[in-house]
Amino acid sequence: MIETPYLLFLGDAPDGLAAKVAQGIKDWRPEFALGQFRMEGCKADMGLPDMDLAAAKAAGCKTLVIGVANRGGVISPAWKKVLVAALEEGFDLASGLHNLLRDEADLVAVAQACGRSLHDVRVPTVAYPIANGEKRTGKRMLAVGTDCSVGKMYTALCMEREMRERGMAASFRATGQTGILITGDGVPLDAVIADFMAGSVEWLTPNNDADHWDLIEGQGSLFHVSYSGVTLALIHGGQPDALVLCHEPVRTHMRGLPGYKLPDLASLRDTALGLAKVANPACQVVGISVNTQAMAEADALEYLAKLEAEMGLPATDPFRFGAGKLVDALAAI
Amino acid sequence: MIETPYLLFLGDAPDGLAAKVAQGIKDWRPEFALGQFRMEGCKADMGLPDMDLAAAKAAGCKTLVIGVANRGGVISPAWKKVLVAALEEGFDLASGLHNLLRDEADLVAVAQACGRSLHDVRVPTVAYPIANGEKRTGKRMLAVGTDCSVGKMYTALCMEREMRERGMAASFRATGQTGILITGDGVPLDAVIADFMAGSVEWLTPNNDADHWDLIEGQGSLFHVSYSGVTLALIHGGQPDALVLCHEPVRTHMRGLPGYKLPDLASLRDTALGLAKVANPACQVVGISVNTQAMAEADALEYLAKLEAEMGLPATDPFRFGAGKLVDALAAI
């Protein structure tokens, strides 16, 4: 297990979205997030105290968590300098990057010399089975998005919090590095070998009590050509009883794909539901979760009301306005 | 490169479908397939001369190719005995199994002692990029199936043969171990890490001449819950201009999934085309390829005529009746 509390490393993040990992930890395990470490040019800010390594050590931080993505990239020399210094200062390192800490010879050497640990949460540690498609007991909700990074993980986490407050049996099931860093376990789905993707989701969401809900973190989008295969494996491995559609209305194109427009929510509903019914003919679309953080409150509420009328489904921003509507819809199944 | 010709190892295959690799080599590179090696209980038969190792050596075989699948299984002691003897007899080994030859300490030791090579064609040897979705020059056809193992590879290979006979520019693009063993290169897609699946397909089918067709081998099925994610990565990474629907009419359920019925061809058409248009809005479904091997010729022809009338698309069994209709449809794009 990763030792807490954390110092969140934001590096030279080009924007807030790139620091999704740090934001997730700060929002869902604020008691673990004592401070942030930002390098020159960093455009992300978690609103936490800025700390250097010595200050973080004095504050009691045990692990430096890399809270920022480097899309298909490398660990830069500027980052490396900080990571080495952190090990020397006595911190463990935890990372969900594609580039593994354990593949960096200098980090391995310094960690060994200092007696510190390197945690690569992106690496699968289980030999997942091939999916067998057999119907499992218990209920499952999956968040599916019009695009990547539209709030699928937040939606599931908000619903878990609301359901637990109501005394319902619910488990957030992490499928990405942020979720794994937050909850301490899950499947790093985008690092799983293709043939075992759906099987890893079956493994993650096994038979359970009839009234128990797995709230499965979505990944990618059926409409995002880089990652759509991962999304379909989640739909078929998760065999959800309920889908929640996730959307961010202010985007001009798919994330990372300037030539691609976002689909509308009706297309997402029809495409995702048709595919979900292959694995679970009883699957229903129960609601819509909108990330309205870029909208004024009145605009957001107007947009949500319009969506509800158009789609005939409850619509909310669960992070801003609460997940009550979505949980009501689940409870009615 | 793998040294030819081959002795095809059929092991203790439970049925002919399990020996798909051997069958593919025998059909598409018959000059490489000098004989077959069958163990007790083997239910597969390629119609090749049965040879023991000494006879195969005398006939000039250089490599023992494992031509039979072991679904998620292990390399059994009975197989191992033959493989070790083959190395000692002077054969190289080539395999597309999930279980790598290189991970078997005894095989590695014997191969080293005998100066022989172990070829694991399933293992990716390229650091594939994340898909960028950019439009590429040249044209691409992808075979999509109602189920796994319905003839997608054969369809693409039949079309390549027909197109080359007509003087058209066409390249079969292998995405599975059989195709790679047949053509000598390709992407072992089911062994690729999830995040890089679509990117590996982009890599496999790069910019090309405007009149050149890539004929992409399909994998899995959008309706097969174990492997559907791989199929969608092919559709979005391949950005096909043309889809050919592949089907085998005599199946009672999805391969390996007793609880799942096959979709009808209209469902496959609508689902696959809708998803393909995300990456290439101009994509068309151009024809239907039916594996009629279990049907009498008159029944097969009647079935195909009925399909053509129902679906409004050319339908053939390209292996039995030629790929002319499908190539005519491609040429008309």
Side-chain angles (χ1 to χ4, degrees), chain A residues 121-125 128 174-177 180 186-192 200, chain B residues 194:
Chain A
V121 302
R122 178 174 290 274
V123 183
T125 52
Y128 302 115
T175 62
Q177 64 272 22
I180 297 170
V187 169
L189 188 58
D190 58 9
V192 172
S200 75

Side-chain angles (χ1 to χ4, degrees), chain A residues 98 130-133 189-195 197-198 222-223 225-230 232 236 257 260 271 275 278-279, chain B residues 98 130-133 189-198 222-223 225-230 232 236 257 260 271 275 278-279:
Chain A
H98 279 289
I130 287 177
N132 63 27
L189 188 58
D190 58 9
V192 172
I193 297 285
D195 248 5
M197 293 185 299
L222 291 171
F223 294 85
V225 296
S226 308
Y227 309 115
S228 54
V230 179
L232 187 51
H236 283 167
L257 302 175
Y260 289 79
T271 303
L275 291 164
V278 171
Chain B
H98 279 289
I130 288 176
N132 63 27
L189 188 59
D190 57 10
V192 172
I193 297 286
D195 247 6
F196 303 97
M197 294 187 297
L222 290 171
F223 294 84
V225 297
S226 307
Y227 309 114
S228 54
V230 180
L232 187 50
H236 283 167
L257 302 175
Y260 288 79
T271 303
L275 291 165
V278 171

